[in-house]
mmCIF file of all heavy atoms in Angstrom:
data_model
loop_
_atom_site.group_PDB
_atom_site.id
_atom_site.type_symbol
_atom_site.label_atom_id
_atom_site.label_comp_id
_atom_site.label_asym_id
_atom_site.label_seq_id
_atom_site.Cartn_x
_atom_site.Cartn_y
_atom_site.Cartn_z
ATOM 1 N N LYS O 893 7.451 -0.080 8.618
ATOM 2 C CA LYS O 893 8.853 -0.490 8.446
ATOM 3 C C LYS O 893 9.182 -0.505 6.956
ATOM 4 O O LYS O 893 8.267 -0.460 6.123
ATOM 5 C CB LYS O 893 9.094 -1.845 9.098
ATOM 6 C CG LYS O 893 8.191 -2.949 8.645
ATOM 7 C CD LYS O 893 8.425 -4.204 9.486
ATOM 8 C CE LYS O 893 7.495 -5.316 9.047
ATOM 9 N NZ LYS O 893 7.297 -6.309 10.083
ATOM 10 N N PRO O 894 10.471 -0.570 6.607
ATOM 11 C CA PRO O 894 10.839 -0.424 5.198
ATOM 12 C C PRO O 894 10.208 -1.469 4.260
ATOM 13 O O PRO O 894 10.086 -1.215 3.062
ATOM 14 C CB PRO O 894 12.373 -0.569 5.228
ATOM 15 C CG PRO O 894 12.770 -0.101 6.584
ATOM 16 C CD PRO O 894 11.669 -0.560 7.492
ATOM 17 N N SER O 895 9.792 -2.617 4.798
ATOM 18 C CA SER O 895 9.275 -3.680 3.922
ATOM 19 C C SER O 895 7.743 -3.770 3.937
ATOM 20 O O SER O 895 7.192 -4.780 3.522
ATOM 21 C CB SER O 895 9.852 -5.024 4.381
ATOM 22 O OG SER O 895 9.469 -5.253 5.723
ATOM 23 N N GLU O 896 7.063 -2.725 4.398
ATOM 24 C CA GLU O 896 5.619 -2.842 4.566
ATOM 25 C C GLU O 896 4.909 -1.497 4.455
ATOM 26 O O GLU O 896 5.374 -0.486 4.993
ATOM 27 C CB GLU O 896 5.359 -3.439 5.959
ATOM 28 C CG GLU O 896 3.956 -3.808 6.272
ATOM 29 C CD GLU O 896 3.858 -4.424 7.678
ATOM 30 O OE1 GLU O 896 4.440 -5.488 7.925
ATOM 31 O OE2 GLU O 896 3.215 -3.782 8.532
ATOM 32 N N TYR O 897 3.793 -1.484 3.737
ATOM 33 C CA TYR O 897 2.873 -0.352 3.772
ATOM 34 C C TYR O 897 1.563 -0.816 4.398
ATOM 35 O O TYR O 897 1.119 -1.938 4.150
ATOM 36 C CB TYR O 897 2.550 0.142 2.358
ATOM 37 C CG TYR O 897 3.578 1.082 1.775
ATOM 38 C CD1 TYR O 897 4.636 0.577 1.015
ATOM 39 C CD2 TYR O 897 3.498 2.466 1.940
ATOM 40 C CE1 TYR O 897 5.591 1.436 0.449
ATOM 41 C CE2 TYR O 897 4.443 3.324 1.386
ATOM 42 C CZ TYR O 897 5.477 2.801 0.643
ATOM 43 O OH TYR O 897 6.400 3.641 0.104
ATOM 44 N N ARG O 898 0.945 0.063 5.182
ATOM 45 C CA ARG O 898 -0.386 -0.191 5.705
ATOM 46 C C ARG O 898 -1.344 0.815 5.082
ATOM 47 O O ARG O 898 -1.074 2.005 5.080
ATOM 48 C CB ARG O 898 -0.437 -0.060 7.216
ATOM 49 C CG ARG O 898 0.131 -1.256 7.908
ATOM 50 C CD ARG O 898 -0.101 -1.179 9.402
ATOM 51 N NE ARG O 898 0.740 -2.169 10.053
ATOM 52 C CZ ARG O 898 0.870 -2.284 11.359
ATOM 53 N NH1 ARG O 898 0.208 -1.460 12.163
ATOM 54 N NH2 ARG O 898 1.656 -3.214 11.859
ATOM 55 N N PHE O 899 -2.476 0.319 4.615
ATOM 56 C CA PHE O 899 -3.498 1.142 3.977
ATOM 57 C C PHE O 899 -4.775 1.007 4.815
ATOM 58 O O PHE O 899 -5.309 -0.088 4.927
ATOM 59 C CB PHE O 899 -3.685 0.660 2.541
ATOM 60 C CG PHE O 899 -4.794 1.346 1.777
ATOM 61 C CD1 PHE O 899 -5.106 2.683 1.991
ATOM 62 C CD2 PHE O 899 -5.518 0.645 0.810
ATOM 63 C CE1 PHE O 899 -6.114 3.292 1.258
ATOM 64 C CE2 PHE O 899 -6.503 1.248 0.079
ATOM 65 C CZ PHE O 899 -6.824 2.575 0.317
ATOM 66 N N TYR O 900 -5.167 2.118 5.458
ATOM 67 C CA TYR O 900 -6.338 2.117 6.329
ATOM 68 C C TYR O 900 -7.529 2.751 5.617
ATOM 69 O O TYR O 900 -7.385 3.772 4.936
ATOM 70 C CB TYR O 900 -6.091 2.980 7.554
ATOM 71 C CG TYR O 900 -5.160 2.460 8.595
ATOM 72 C CD1 TYR O 900 -3.782 2.447 8.380
ATOM 73 C CD2 TYR O 900 -5.626 2.029 9.840
ATOM 74 C CE1 TYR O 900 -2.906 2.012 9.359
ATOM 75 C CE2 TYR O 900 -4.759 1.598 10.829
ATOM 76 C CZ TYR O 900 -3.408 1.595 10.592
ATOM 77 O OH TYR O 900 -2.525 1.155 11.566
ATOM 78 N N VAL O 901 -8.715 2.159 5.842
ATOM 79 C CA VAL O 901 -9.980 2.786 5.496
ATOM 80 C C VAL O 901 -10.920 2.569 6.681
ATOM 81 O O VAL O 901 -11.130 1.427 7.110
ATOM 82 C CB VAL O 901 -10.608 2.169 4.213
ATOM 83 C CG1 VAL O 901 -11.986 2.782 3.954
ATOM 84 C CG2 VAL O 901 -9.703 2.374 3.008
ATOM 85 N N GLY O 902 -11.439 3.680 7.243
ATOM 86 C CA GLY O 902 -12.377 3.564 8.356
ATOM 87 C C GLY O 902 -11.818 2.838 9.552
ATOM 88 O O GLY O 902 -12.530 2.092 10.220
ATOM 89 N N GLY O 903 -10.528 3.029 9.833
ATOM 90 C CA GLY O 903 -9.928 2.465 11.033
ATOM 91 C C GLY O 903 -9.426 1.022 10.899
ATOM 92 O O GLY O 903 -8.709 0.536 11.767
ATOM 93 N N LYS O 904 -9.796 0.327 9.810
ATOM 94 C CA LYS O 904 -9.269 -1.014 9.569
ATOM 95 C C LYS O 904 -8.161 -0.927 8.516
ATOM 96 O O LYS O 904 -8.182 -0.016 7.696
ATOM 97 C CB LYS O 904 -10.377 -1.941 9.044
ATOM 98 C CG LYS O 904 -11.619 -2.030 9.930
ATOM 99 C CD LYS O 904 -11.490 -3.176 10.893
ATOM 100 C CE LYS O 904 -12.750 -3.577 11.623
ATOM 101 N NZ LYS O 904 -13.694 -2.546 11.993
ATOM 102 N N PHE O 905 -7.234 -1.891 8.525
ATOM 103 C CA PHE O 905 -6.148 -1.781 7.543
ATOM 104 C C PHE O 905 -5.808 -3.121 6.910
ATOM 105 O O PHE O 905 -6.098 -4.193 7.448
ATOM 106 C CB PHE O 905 -4.906 -1.141 8.165
ATOM 107 C CG PHE O 905 -4.197 -1.987 9.217
ATOM 108 C CD1 PHE O 905 -3.224 -2.900 8.854
ATOM 109 C CD2 PHE O 905 -4.517 -1.834 10.560
ATOM 110 C CE1 PHE O 905 -2.565 -3.659 9.819
ATOM 111 C CE2 PHE O 905 -3.867 -2.583 11.527
ATOM 112 C CZ PHE O 905 -2.888 -3.497 11.160
ATOM 113 N N VAL O 906 -5.176 -3.038 5.749
ATOM 114 C CA VAL O 906 -4.555 -4.190 5.104
ATOM 115 C C VAL O 906 -3.083 -3.876 4.935
ATOM 116 O O VAL O 906 -2.678 -2.700 4.873
ATOM 117 C CB VAL O 906 -5.199 -4.537 3.735
ATOM 118 C CG1 VAL O 906 -6.542 -5.211 3.912
ATOM 119 C CG2 VAL O 906 -5.330 -3.304 2.852
ATOM 120 N N ILE O 907 -2.275 -4.939 4.886
ATOM 121 C CA ILE O 907 -0.827 -4.803 4.785
ATOM 122 C C ILE O 907 -0.367 -5.195 3.400
ATOM 123 O O ILE O 907 -0.817 -6.224 2.866
ATOM 124 C CB ILE O 907 -0.141 -5.723 5.832
ATOM 125 C CG1 ILE O 907 -0.378 -5.174 7.247
ATOM 126 C CG2 ILE O 907 1.364 -5.845 5.554
ATOM 127 C CD1 ILE O 907 0.083 -6.088 8.347
ATOM 128 N N PHE O 908 0.490 -4.391 2.812
ATOM 129 C CA PHE O 908 1.136 -4.737 1.541
ATOM 130 C C PHE O 908 2.633 -4.839 1.806
ATOM 131 O O PHE O 908 3.246 -3.870 2.220
ATOM 132 C CB PHE O 908 0.820 -3.690 0.472
ATOM 133 C CG PHE O 908 -0.638 -3.657 0.092
ATOM 134 C CD1 PHE O 908 -1.518 -2.772 0.701
ATOM 135 C CD2 PHE O 908 -1.138 -4.543 -0.855
ATOM 136 C CE1 PHE O 908 -2.862 -2.767 0.366
ATOM 137 C CE2 PHE O 908 -2.490 -4.543 -1.190
ATOM 138 C CZ PHE O 908 -3.357 -3.651 -0.578
ATOM 139 N N ARG O 909 3.164 -6.047 1.584
ATOM 140 C CA ARG O 909 4.596 -6.253 1.811
ATOM 141 C C ARG O 909 5.352 -5.893 0.544
ATOM 142 O O ARG O 909 4.989 -6.329 -0.542
ATOM 143 C CB ARG O 909 4.847 -7.708 2.211
ATOM 144 C CG ARG O 909 4.358 -7.964 3.620
ATOM 145 C CD ARG O 909 4.483 -9.403 4.107
ATOM 146 N NE ARG O 909 3.826 -9.494 5.408
ATOM 147 C CZ ARG O 909 2.496 -9.678 5.558
ATOM 148 N NH1 ARG O 909 1.719 -9.792 4.506
ATOM 149 N NH2 ARG O 909 1.972 -9.733 6.768
ATOM 150 N N VAL O 910 6.408 -5.127 0.719
ATOM 151 C CA VAL O 910 7.122 -4.574 -0.442
ATOM 152 C C VAL O 910 8.626 -4.828 -0.269
ATOM 153 O O VAL O 910 9.089 -5.028 0.848
ATOM 154 C CB VAL O 910 6.865 -3.063 -0.579
ATOM 155 C CG1 VAL O 910 5.393 -2.770 -0.817
ATOM 156 C CG2 VAL O 910 7.362 -2.286 0.635
ATOM 157 N N PRO O 911 9.372 -4.834 -1.380
ATOM 158 C CA PRO O 911 10.828 -4.926 -1.221
ATOM 159 C C PRO O 911 11.343 -3.653 -0.575
ATOM 160 O O PRO O 911 10.772 -2.580 -0.788
ATOM 161 C CB PRO O 911 11.327 -5.042 -2.666
ATOM 162 C CG PRO O 911 10.199 -4.704 -3.553
ATOM 163 C CD PRO O 911 8.931 -4.775 -2.772
ATOM 164 N N GLU O 912 12.364 -3.767 0.237
ATOM 165 C CA GLU O 912 12.920 -2.574 0.863
ATOM 166 C C GLU O 912 13.476 -1.648 -0.198
ATOM 167 O O GLU O 912 14.126 -2.098 -1.138
ATOM 168 C CB GLU O 912 14.002 -2.964 1.880
ATOM 169 C CG GLU O 912 13.402 -3.698 3.069
ATOM 170 C CD GLU O 912 14.287 -3.694 4.294
ATOM 171 O OE1 GLU O 912 15.207 -2.851 4.374
ATOM 172 O OE2 GLU O 912 14.056 -4.530 5.172
ATOM 173 N N GLY O 913 13.215 -0.356 -0.043
ATOM 174 C CA GLY O 913 13.640 0.620 -1.060
ATOM 175 C C GLY O 913 15.145 0.681 -1.181
ATOM 176 O O GLY O 913 15.877 0.310 -0.286
ATOM 177 N N HIS O 914 15.625 1.154 -2.303
ATOM 178 C CA HIS O 914 17.056 1.268 -2.539
ATOM 179 C C HIS O 914 17.462 2.732 -2.507
ATOM 180 O O HIS O 914 18.198 3.210 -3.364
ATOM 181 C CB HIS O 914 17.428 0.629 -3.872
ATOM 182 C CG HIS O 914 17.038 -0.802 -3.940
ATOM 183 N ND1 HIS O 914 17.619 -1.775 -3.145
ATOM 184 C CD2 HIS O 914 16.093 -1.448 -4.678
ATOM 185 C CE1 HIS O 914 17.059 -2.958 -3.411
ATOM 186 N NE2 HIS O 914 16.130 -2.777 -4.324
ATOM 187 N N GLY O 915 16.934 3.463 -1.521
ATOM 188 C CA GLY O 915 17.278 4.874 -1.405
ATOM 189 C C GLY O 915 16.857 5.672 -2.628
ATOM 190 O O GLY O 915 17.594 6.493 -3.128
ATOM 191 N N ASP O 916 15.641 5.389 -3.106
ATOM 192 C CA ASP O 916 15.140 6.111 -4.282
ATOM 193 C C ASP O 916 13.734 6.621 -3.973
ATOM 194 O O ASP O 916 13.131 6.248 -2.968
ATOM 195 C CB ASP O 916 15.105 5.153 -5.496
ATOM 196 C CG ASP O 916 15.281 5.912 -6.803
ATOM 197 O OD1 ASP O 916 15.109 7.170 -6.809
ATOM 198 O OD2 ASP O 916 15.557 5.271 -7.818
ATOM 199 N N TRP O 917 13.213 7.466 -4.860
ATOM 200 C CA TRP O 917 11.817 7.892 -4.740
ATOM 201 C C TRP O 917 10.916 6.656 -4.837
ATOM 202 O O TRP O 917 11.177 5.754 -5.619
ATOM 203 C CB TRP O 917 11.476 8.850 -5.877
ATOM 204 C CG TRP O 917 11.964 10.246 -5.648
ATOM 205 C CD1 TRP O 917 13.154 10.757 -6.044
ATOM 206 C CD2 TRP O 917 11.270 11.293 -4.983
ATOM 207 N NE1 TRP O 917 13.246 12.085 -5.655
ATOM 208 C CE2 TRP O 917 12.110 12.431 -4.997
ATOM 209 C CE3 TRP O 917 10.015 11.387 -4.353
ATOM 210 C CZ2 TRP O 917 11.736 13.653 -4.438
ATOM 211 C CZ3 TRP O 917 9.646 12.592 -3.784
ATOM 212 C CH2 TRP O 917 10.495 13.711 -3.819
ATOM 213 N N GLU O 918 9.850 6.638 -4.026
ATOM 214 C CA GLU O 918 8.819 5.593 -4.131
ATOM 215 C C GLU O 918 7.507 6.268 -4.459
ATOM 216 O O GLU O 918 7.098 7.219 -3.766
ATOM 217 C CB GLU O 918 8.687 4.830 -2.798
ATOM 218 C CG GLU O 918 9.853 3.893 -2.558
ATOM 219 C CD GLU O 918 9.627 2.955 -1.362
ATOM 220 O OE1 GLU O 918 8.547 2.993 -0.725
ATOM 221 O OE2 GLU O 918 10.557 2.178 -1.089
ATOM 222 N N HIS O 919 6.854 5.766 -5.494
ATOM 223 C CA HIS O 919 5.531 6.281 -5.861
ATOM 224 C C HIS O 919 4.501 5.252 -5.464
ATOM 225 O O HIS O 919 4.582 4.087 -5.858
ATOM 226 C CB HIS O 919 5.461 6.532 -7.371
ATOM 227 C CG HIS O 919 4.159 7.151 -7.781
ATOM 228 N ND1 HIS O 919 3.091 6.381 -8.236
ATOM 229 C CD2 HIS O 919 3.724 8.434 -7.781
ATOM 230 C CE1 HIS O 919 2.069 7.198 -8.506
ATOM 231 N NE2 HIS O 919 2.433 8.433 -8.245
ATOM 232 N N VAL O 920 3.518 5.670 -4.646
ATOM 233 C CA VAL O 920 2.447 4.755 -4.251
ATOM 234 C C VAL O 920 1.092 5.325 -4.623
ATOM 235 O O VAL O 920 0.884 6.539 -4.565
ATOM 236 C CB VAL O 920 2.465 4.430 -2.731
ATOM 237 C CG1 VAL O 920 3.726 3.679 -2.338
ATOM 238 C CG2 VAL O 920 2.288 5.652 -1.882
ATOM 239 N N CYS O 921 0.220 4.415 -5.021
ATOM 240 C CA CYS O 921 -1.191 4.750 -5.197
ATOM 241 C C CYS O 921 -2.002 3.678 -4.457
ATOM 242 O O CYS O 921 -1.674 2.489 -4.544
ATOM 243 C CB CYS O 921 -1.619 4.703 -6.666
ATOM 244 S SG CYS O 921 -1.032 6.091 -7.648
ATOM 245 N N ALA O 922 -3.007 4.119 -3.733
ATOM 246 C CA ALA O 922 -3.904 3.189 -3.063
ATOM 247 C C ALA O 922 -5.326 3.569 -3.424
ATOM 248 O O ALA O 922 -5.686 4.747 -3.360
ATOM 249 C CB ALA O 922 -3.707 3.244 -1.559
ATOM 250 N N SER O 923 -6.117 2.581 -3.868
ATOM 251 C CA SER O 923 -7.505 2.896 -4.184
ATOM 252 C C SER O 923 -8.416 1.905 -3.488
ATOM 253 O O SER O 923 -8.007 0.793 -3.106
ATOM 254 C CB SER O 923 -7.747 2.917 -5.694
ATOM 255 O OG SER O 923 -7.919 1.609 -6.185
ATOM 256 N N TRP O 924 -9.658 2.345 -3.307
ATOM 257 C CA TRP O 924 -10.617 1.530 -2.554
ATOM 258 C C TRP O 924 -12.003 1.754 -3.122
ATOM 259 O O TRP O 924 -12.350 2.845 -3.568
ATOM 260 C CB TRP O 924 -10.562 1.928 -1.088
ATOM 261 C CG TRP O 924 -11.629 1.316 -0.232
ATOM 262 C CD1 TRP O 924 -11.630 0.066 0.317
ATOM 263 C CD2 TRP O 924 -12.860 1.930 0.176
ATOM 264 N NE1 TRP O 924 -12.773 -0.129 1.043
ATOM 265 C CE2 TRP O 924 -13.543 0.985 0.977
ATOM 266 C CE3 TRP O 924 -13.440 3.180 -0.058
ATOM 267 C CZ2 TRP O 924 -14.798 1.259 1.537
ATOM 268 C CZ3 TRP O 924 -14.677 3.447 0.503
ATOM 269 C CH2 TRP O 924 -15.343 2.512 1.288
ATOM 270 N N GLU O 925 -12.787 0.651 -3.104
ATOM 271 C CA GLU O 925 -14.143 0.734 -3.629
ATOM 272 C C GLU O 925 -15.084 0.075 -2.620
ATOM 273 O O GLU O 925 -14.862 -1.065 -2.221
ATOM 274 C CB GLU O 925 -14.113 0.082 -5.011
ATOM 275 C CG GLU O 925 -15.208 -0.757 -5.467
ATOM 276 C CD GLU O 925 -14.902 -1.370 -6.838
ATOM 277 O OE1 GLU O 925 -14.682 -0.618 -7.803
ATOM 278 O OE2 GLU O 925 -14.919 -2.602 -6.938
ATOM 279 N N SER O 926 -16.080 0.834 -2.201
ATOM 280 C CA SER O 926 -16.989 0.374 -1.163
ATOM 281 C C SER O 926 -17.817 -0.841 -1.590
ATOM 282 O O SER O 926 -17.986 -1.799 -0.827
ATOM 283 C CB SER O 926 -17.933 1.519 -0.764
ATOM 284 O OG SER O 926 -18.915 1.078 0.137
ATOM 285 N N ALA O 927 -18.309 -0.808 -2.833
ATOM 286 C CA ALA O 927 -19.239 -1.865 -3.291
ATOM 287 C C ALA O 927 -18.636 -3.274 -3.167
ATOM 288 O O ALA O 927 -19.320 -4.212 -2.773
ATOM 289 C CB ALA O 927 -19.662 -1.598 -4.729
ATOM 290 N N THR O 928 -17.344 -3.401 -3.489
ATOM 291 C CA THR O 928 -16.702 -4.713 -3.441
ATOM 292 C C THR O 928 -15.781 -4.841 -2.230
ATOM 293 O O THR O 928 -15.329 -5.941 -1.901
ATOM 294 C CB THR O 928 -15.838 -4.934 -4.682
ATOM 295 O OG1 THR O 928 -14.878 -3.866 -4.764
ATOM 296 C CG2 THR O 928 -16.681 -4.950 -5.948
ATOM 297 N N GLY O 929 -15.439 -3.702 -1.604
ATOM 298 C CA GLY O 929 -14.462 -3.727 -0.520
ATOM 299 C C GLY O 929 -13.080 -4.115 -1.015
ATOM 300 O O GLY O 929 -12.279 -4.689 -0.295
ATOM 301 N N ILE O 930 -12.799 -3.775 -2.278
ATOM 302 C CA ILE O 930 -11.482 -4.112 -2.837
ATOM 303 C C ILE O 930 -10.506 -2.956 -2.635
ATOM 304 O O ILE O 930 -10.799 -1.812 -2.978
ATOM 305 C CB ILE O 930 -11.581 -4.437 -4.351
ATOM 306 C CG1 ILE O 930 -12.314 -5.763 -4.586
ATOM 307 C CG2 ILE O 930 -10.197 -4.473 -5.006
ATOM 308 C CD1 ILE O 930 -11.493 -7.004 -4.313
ATOM 309 N N ALA O 931 -9.357 -3.289 -2.048
ATOM 310 C CA ALA O 931 -8.277 -2.312 -1.880
ATOM 311 C C ALA O 931 -7.177 -2.660 -2.870
ATOM 312 O O ALA O 931 -6.731 -3.802 -2.938
ATOM 313 C CB ALA O 931 -7.724 -2.362 -0.455
ATOM 314 N N GLU O 932 -6.769 -1.643 -3.626
ATOM 315 C CA GLU O 932 -5.699 -1.814 -4.623
ATOM 316 C C GLU O 932 -4.492 -1.027 -4.144
ATOM 317 O O GLU O 932 -4.637 0.065 -3.613
ATOM 318 C CB GLU O 932 -6.135 -1.214 -5.960
ATOM 319 C CG GLU O 932 -6.488 -2.221 -7.001
ATOM 320 C CD GLU O 932 -6.872 -1.547 -8.308
ATOM 321 O OE1 GLU O 932 -6.039 -0.785 -8.881
ATOM 322 O OE2 GLU O 932 -7.994 -1.751 -8.776
ATOM 323 N N PHE O 933 -3.311 -1.584 -4.399
ATOM 324 C CA PHE O 933 -2.082 -0.890 -4.011
ATOM 325 C C PHE O 933 -1.092 -1.001 -5.169
ATOM 326 O O PHE O 933 -0.820 -2.084 -5.652
ATOM 327 C CB PHE O 933 -1.501 -1.525 -2.742
ATOM 328 C CG PHE O 933 -0.251 -0.853 -2.261
ATOM 329 C CD1 PHE O 933 -0.312 0.310 -1.477
ATOM 330 C CD2 PHE O 933 0.997 -1.371 -2.567
ATOM 331 C CE1 PHE O 933 0.860 0.934 -1.040
ATOM 332 C CE2 PHE O 933 2.170 -0.752 -2.136
ATOM 333 C CZ PHE O 933 2.090 0.408 -1.359
ATOM 334 N N TRP O 934 -0.569 0.140 -5.581
ATOM 335 C CA TRP O 934 0.416 0.214 -6.664
ATOM 336 C C TRP O 934 1.685 0.840 -6.143
ATOM 337 O O TRP O 934 1.641 1.889 -5.482
ATOM 338 C CB TRP O 934 -0.116 1.050 -7.822
ATOM 339 C CG TRP O 934 -1.273 0.462 -8.544
ATOM 340 C CD1 TRP O 934 -2.524 0.196 -8.047
ATOM 341 C CD2 TRP O 934 -1.314 0.036 -9.930
ATOM 342 N NE1 TRP O 934 -3.321 -0.344 -9.024
ATOM 343 C CE2 TRP O 934 -2.622 -0.452 -10.180
ATOM 344 C CE3 TRP O 934 -0.363 0.047 -10.970
ATOM 345 C CZ2 TRP O 934 -2.992 -0.939 -11.439
ATOM 346 C CZ3 TRP O 934 -0.753 -0.422 -12.205
ATOM 347 C CH2 TRP O 934 -2.045 -0.926 -12.441
ATOM 348 N N LEU O 935 2.812 0.215 -6.422
ATOM 349 C CA LEU O 935 4.106 0.763 -6.026
ATOM 350 C C LEU O 935 4.950 0.924 -7.296
ATOM 351 O O LEU O 935 5.163 -0.047 -8.021
ATOM 352 C CB LEU O 935 4.793 -0.173 -5.027
ATOM 353 C CG LEU O 935 6.216 0.213 -4.623
ATOM 354 C CD1 LEU O 935 6.218 1.507 -3.825
ATOM 355 C CD2 LEU O 935 6.878 -0.898 -3.797
ATOM 356 N N ASN O 936 5.399 2.148 -7.539
ATOM 357 C CA ASN O 936 6.235 2.447 -8.715
ATOM 358 C C ASN O 936 5.628 1.897 -10.009
ATOM 359 O O ASN O 936 6.298 1.292 -10.833
ATOM 360 C CB ASN O 936 7.649 1.937 -8.515
ATOM 361 C CG ASN O 936 8.359 2.647 -7.366
ATOM 362 O OD1 ASN O 936 8.001 3.775 -7.034
ATOM 363 N ND2 ASN O 936 9.318 2.009 -6.746
ATOM 364 N N GLY O 937 4.309 2.128 -10.145
ATOM 365 C CA GLY O 937 3.618 1.772 -11.394
ATOM 366 C C GLY O 937 3.247 0.322 -11.529
ATOM 367 O O GLY O 937 2.756 -0.086 -12.585
#
């Protein structure tokens, strides 16, 4: 939905709640590291 991104790794996911877009380009980056199990999510820098 417009206020949420889901980031899956290996069938499991975490939710990142975001402000609804204003009809503009959205840039997303998602990174993950196995050793710590840390998921990072970046929206528009």
Side-chain angles (χ1 to χ4, degrees):
K893 55 187 179 202
S895 59
E896 188 179 297
Y897 278 91
R898 283 188 194 174
F899 176 33
Y900 288 74
V901 175
K904 304 268 193 325
F905 68 89
V906 285
I907 289 172
F908 294 94
R909 288 177 187 83
V910 298
E912 292 200 19
H914 302 293
D916 209 344
W917 281 91
E918 286 190 2
H919 184 265
V920 296
C921 286
S923 81
W924 172 82
E925 141 184 301
S926 174
T928 56
I930 290 283
E932 254 182 59
F933 181 82
W934 292 64
L935 175 66
N936 296 335

